[in-house]
Amino acid sequence: MKSLNSQFRNAIVRSIDVGEHRAIKIKDLIENRLPSYRKESQDSFHSFKKNASRIITSMLGDNGEGLSRVKKGNAYLYFWPSQQDKDAAIDQFKMTEERAFAFTFIKEYLPELVPPHIFSVLQTDFKKAEEILDQSELIHYLSKIDFNPMGYDMHSALDHELATIEEQNLWQFVFDCTFKEKCFSAYYRSIHKNFDAKKLVLSPQRIVLLNHHLHVLAYEHGSHTTRYFEISKLYRFTDSKDQFIKVNKTEYETRVKVSAICHTWVKRSFETTSLAHKSTFTKLGNDDCWLLEIDLNFPHHFNREGPDPFFVANYLSGFSDSIVVLEPEFLKNEMKRRTSNLATVYNDECDVETIVALSPHVMASK
C-alpha cells in the first residue's frame, strides 16, 4: 500500500511547514495536503491517521532538533523548527539519477515557472541533483540537450539566484495572488498610453511563460478586459479590497477556423506538435503544397472588439513565405500588414524608423 512506503513518508516530511506559527494537526495534514494518498488507501480514516501518526512520531527530535510539536487544546500540531531541519529530513530520501536529471533540467531551463518560495525550499534537492549527476553517465545526456523553443539559444533573464529582493517579492506576490485568487493593484510600464503610468486593479487568472517572458493573465477591472501583463513591468503593487473576478476561458478567448496554404515542411511541423489532432491537410496541385484547416483559440483584443491576431501571427510569421493565410480576414489582414511593411522597408527608400515605431501601436489600435 502506498502509505507504507518511503514515498508516503517523504510526502509527510514535505507537507509539514517550517515555523511554529504554521504548525498543523495530523487530521488537517491528511485532509488538505495528502488527499491523493488518502484516496488511494483502502484503510479506514482512523487506520490511515494512525499510520500517519506513527510515521510523524518517529520523526520527532530531541533538544529542539528534528520535527517538533506543540499542544493546543486536546490536539498536537506539528512543525519543523527550521528549514535546515526539514532539508535534513528530506535528504534522507535517496535522489535517483533520473530524479537528479529532472531537477537539473527544471533549474536550468524552466526556473521562471517555479514560485520563489518553492524554489528556495528545493535548494537541497538542486544541490544533491548536481552532485549525483557529476558522478553519473546521465550528465552526458544533459550536455547533449539544448532547450531552444524559439529556435535560437535565448532564455529568460529571470534568475532566482541573481534576482534582487524587490524582484523576488514581486514575483512571489503575483504568484500568491494568482493561486489564492486575490485582487491586487499595480502600475504597469507599457508602450500603450492607456495603460502606462496608470493604476490598475487586476484579478490574476494564470501564470504564463510567453516567448521566454513571464506573464500574468489578468482581468483588468477598469477596462473590463482580460490580457497578458509582463510581470517584470509591474511596479508599486499592493493588495486590493476589490472583489476577485474569475474569468472562464471562453470569456477571454474565441475559437476561430483558420485556413492557409502551406509547404510540406510546415505541415510536418504542425504534425509534430499538440496542434496535430486539430489540423486537417488536403493535398493541392503542387506536390509540396497543402491546404491547412485548423481551429485555433484567439484571445479577445484588449483595446477593440474582436479577436487579437498578435500571438498567432507571430507564430505563423516564423514560417515566412512558406505559409499564406486565407482566412479569417482579421488574421489575413495582419499578415498582409506585416509583409507589406517588411517589403517596403527592405526594398524601397522610406522612413524605416517611422514604420518600426508605429508597428506595435497599429496592432493595438482601435
Side-chain angles (χ1 to χ4, degrees), residues 95 123 292:
M95 170 78 75
Q123 287 305 305
L292 161 66

Side-chain angles (χ1 to χ4, degrees), residues 190-196 198 200 220 227 302-303 364 366:
S190 174
I191 61 172
H192 305 300
K193 292 182 180 180
N194 55 333
F195 280 100
D196 188 42
K198 173 183 175 184
L200 306 174
E220 201 278 295
R227 61 171 295 203
F302 72 93
N303 206 31
K366 293 184 177 180

Side-chain angles (χ1 to χ4, degrees), residues 57-74:
T57 301
S58 71
M59 293 190 292
L60 288 172
D62 299 321
N63 303 320
E65 297 179 354
L67 188 66
S68 296
R69 67 181 183 181
V70 58
K71 192 170 186 179
K72 293 189 177 181
N74 296 323

Side-chain angles (χ1 to χ4, degrees), residues 270-337:
F270 271 75
E271 289 174 337
T272 56
T273 70
S274 57
L275 297 177
H277 70 282
K278 302 177 182 178
S279 310
T280 59
F281 294 92
T282 304
K283 198 171 188 59
L284 299 177
N286 188 300
D287 286 344
D288 274 324
C289 289
W290 299 80
L291 174 65
L292 161 66
E293 294 178 295
I294 182 173
D295 290 334
L296 293 177
N297 290 330
F298 290 80
H300 293 171
H301 200 285
F302 72 93
N303 206 31
R304 62 171 181 260
E305 292 294 325
D308 186 350
F310 180 73
F311 294 109
V312 174
N314 284 355
Y315 174 67
L316 297 181
S317 294
F319 298 113
S320 188
D321 54 355
S322 291
I323 188 168
V324 176
V325 174
L326 302 178
E327 60 175 359
E329 199 69 22
F330 70 88
L331 177 60
K332 180 179 179 180
N333 287 340
E334 175 58 21
M335 298 297 286
K336 287 171 64 177
R337 184 195 69 79

Side-chain angles (χ1 to χ4, degrees), residues 27-307:
K27 179 177 180 294
D28 293 335
L29 186 73
I30 293 171
E31 293 179 343
N32 299 325
R33 302 184 185 180
L34 302 169
S36 63
Y37 288 86
R38 174 71 188 102
K39 184 177 181 181
E40 292 183 23
S41 172
Q42 300 299 314
D43 291 345
S44 65
F45 183 87
H46 175 76
S47 296
F48 189 86
K49 181 182 177 183
K50 186 176 180 179
N51 185 50
S53 179
R54 177 184 58 78
I55 293 173
I56 289 173
T57 301
S58 71
M59 293 190 292
L60 288 172
D62 299 321
N63 303 320
E65 297 179 354
L67 188 66
S68 296
R69 67 181 183 181
V70 58
K71 192 170 186 179
K72 293 189 177 181
N74 296 323
Y76 280 105
L77 283 72
Y78 298 86
F79 65 96
W80 293 104
S82 69
Q83 187 64 51
Q84 289 75 18
D85 290 309
K86 185 172 182 177
D87 288 346
I90 292 173
D91 200 41
Q92 296 175 9
F93 300 94
K94 183 181 179 181
M95 170 78 75
T96 65
E97 293 181 356
E98 292 79 12
R99 287 182 63 208
F101 180 92
F103 271 106
T104 304
F105 186 89
I106 291 170
K107 184 183 179 183
E108 180 71 19
Y109 296 116
L110 299 172
E112 310 95 324
L113 291 174
V114 182
H117 74 288
I118 295 178
F119 191 92
S120 63
V121 170
L122 291 176
Q123 287 305 305
T124 299
D125 297 277
F126 290 140
K127 184 177 180 180
K128 187 69 174 177
E130 184 178 341
E131 293 171 354
I132 289 175
L133 276 191
D134 282 342
Q135 308 298 322
S136 168
E137 290 186 359
L138 290 184
I139 191 67
H140 300 302
Y141 281 72
L142 203 61
S143 68
K144 297 293 184 180
I145 294 175
D146 287 326
F147 184 69
N148 299 324
M150 298 297 293
Y152 186 77
D153 187 11
M154 176 180 64
H155 305 286
S156 170
L158 285 173
D159 190 312
H160 286 274
E161 296 168 345
L162 297 179
T164 65
I165 297 297
E166 182 180 1
E167 289 172 333
Q168 290 183 3
N169 289 342
L170 168 59
W171 206 347
Q172 186 66 56
F173 179 81
V174 176
F175 267 103
D176 287 343
C177 289
T178 304
F179 298 152
K180 296 176 183 178
E181 296 191 339
K182 291 175 55 179
C183 284
F184 69 91
S185 63
Y187 290 81
Y188 190 63
R189 298 181 182 91
S190 174
I191 61 172
H192 305 300
K193 292 182 180 180
N194 55 333
F195 280 100
D196 188 42
K198 173 183 175 184
K199 187 176 181 179
L200 306 174
V201 176
L202 304 175
S203 286
Q205 309 293 317
R206 303 182 68 81
I207 301 294
V208 185
L209 188 63
L210 288 174
N211 299 333
H212 288 299
H213 295 284
L214 200 61
H215 292 70
V216 57
L217 177 67
Y219 175 83
E220 201 278 295
H221 290 224
S223 62
H224 307 292
T225 58
T226 303
R227 61 171 295 203
Y228 294 101
F229 294 87
E230 190 174 337
I231 292 179
S232 62
K233 293 182 179 180
L234 293 167
Y235 65 102
R236 289 171 62 185
F237 50 93
T238 57
D239 290 318
S240 173
K241 294 182 179 179
D242 288 69
Q243 182 69 35
F244 179 87
I245 297 177
K246 186 177 180 64
V247 182
N248 295 322
K249 193 177 181 69
T250 54
E251 295 180 67
Y252 64 83
E253 285 188 344
T254 301
R255 184 176 288 273
V256 179
K257 179 181 178 181
V258 174
S259 63
I261 296 175
C262 68
H263 191 275
T264 300
W265 80 269
V266 178
K267 171 179 178 288
R268 290 172 179 165
S269 179
F270 271 75
E271 289 174 337
T272 56
T273 70
S274 57
L275 297 177
H277 70 282
K278 302 177 182 178
S279 310
T280 59
F281 294 92
T282 304
K283 198 171 188 59
L284 299 177
N286 188 300
D287 286 344
D288 274 324
C289 289
W290 299 80
L291 174 65
L292 161 66
E293 294 178 295
I294 182 173
D295 290 334
L296 293 177
N297 290 330
F298 290 80
H300 293 171
H301 200 285
F302 72 93
N303 206 31
R304 62 171 181 260
E305 292 294 325

